[in-house]
């Protein structure tokens, strides 16, 4: 069953390759068209337009190049300069965050996480939201504490890891 089908595909492919090679090698003046045998091969006939005298591959290439060029009205539109983009509104001024506010936010979030009985109580979106909030508050806390208080940062990190592990919080829903 496969051999006849494979033979048919091979014959068709060979025929198409042969036609393409023939079209590319034969000059248009050397071909004799039906009805044009009485006229010289180098002089174009009045009955045959110039487009019929070129090989089909060249006609296809010429048509593709012509269709790729935009119409004149689109070229004129493209030549118009674009208006400059409007400036983005200024961001609201940053409110300075105090150390006490950061510690209070971190403790409140940890208390909220500790109050959740099990990971089954959370849907995937809520888990992702809590994971992001936990990371943000821990980052803010480490910025506020600085390198001088490494023990406090380590304690906070241990609390975060315990809650993230217990509730199986992940970044993506």
């Amino acid at each position: 069953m496969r051999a006849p089908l494979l033979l048919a595909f091979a014959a068709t492919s060979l025929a198409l390759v042969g036609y393409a090679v023939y079209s590319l090698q034969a000059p248009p003046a050397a071909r004799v068209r039906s009805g044009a045998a009485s006229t010289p091969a180098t002089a174009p006939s009045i009955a045959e337009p110039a487009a019929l005298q070129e090989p089909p591959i060249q006609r296809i290439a010429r048509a593709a190049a012509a269709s790729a060029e935009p119409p004149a009205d689109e070229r004129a539109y493209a030549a118009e300069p674009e208006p400059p983009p409007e400036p983005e509104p200024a961001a609201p001024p940053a409110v300075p965050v105090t150390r006490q506010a950061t510690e209070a936010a971190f403790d409140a979030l940890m208390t909220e996480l500790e109050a959740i009985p099990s990971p089954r109580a959370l849907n995937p979106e809520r888990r992702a939201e809590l994971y992001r909030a936990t990371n943000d508050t821990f980052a803010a806390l480490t910025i506020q504490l600085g390198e001088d208080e490494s023990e406090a940062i380590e304690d906070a990190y241990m609390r975060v890891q315990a809650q993230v592990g217990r509730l199986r919080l992940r970044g993506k829903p």
Side-chain angles (χ1 to χ4, degrees):
M1 177 80 181
R2 291 186 186 181
L5 186 60
L6 184 61
L7 186 61
F9 282 135
T12 305
S13 299
L14 187 60
L16 289 173
V17 168
Y19 178 72
V21 169
Y22 171 76
S23 296
L24 292 174
Q25 289 181 347
R31 283 196 224 154
V32 177
R33 300 195 183 272
S34 61
S38 61
T39 61
T42 56
S45 169
I46 296 176
E48 290 186 32
L52 291 179
Q53 293 179 356
E54 65 184 347
I57 300 286
Q58 290 177 351
R59 282 196 308 254
I60 292 170
R62 185 173 36 83
S67 68
E69 189 175 299
D73 59 339
E74 287 183 23
R75 277 184 263 149
Y77 176 73
E80 295 176 9
E82 291 186 19
E86 295 183 19
E88 295 182 18
V95 177
V97 179
T98 63
R99 179 178 173 163
Q100 291 80 19
T102 305
E103 288 176 351
F106 181 77
D107 286 334
L109 181 63
M110 287 297 114
T111 305
E112 179 184 347
L113 292 178
E114 290 165 355
I116 298 173
S118 74
R120 294 184 186 132
L122 302 172
N123 62 17
E125 291 82 20
R126 181 68 178 147
R127 283 184 188 179
E129 179 183 320
L130 287 173
Y131 180 80
R132 180 66 184 185
T134 303
N135 283 339
D136 290 347
T137 56
F138 179 72
L141 183 66
T142 56
I143 290 170
Q144 287 295 327
L145 293 179
E147 293 180 14
D148 298 338
E149 301 182 49
S150 61
E151 287 183 20
I153 292 174
E154 288 178 16
D155 291 342
Y157 180 74
M158 295 305 283
R159 283 181 74 186
V160 166
Q161 287 301 313
Q163 295 307 316
V164 166
R166 182 179 71 83
L167 296 175
R168 298 185 197 122
L169 299 179
R170 302 289 179 259
K172 294 182 181 179

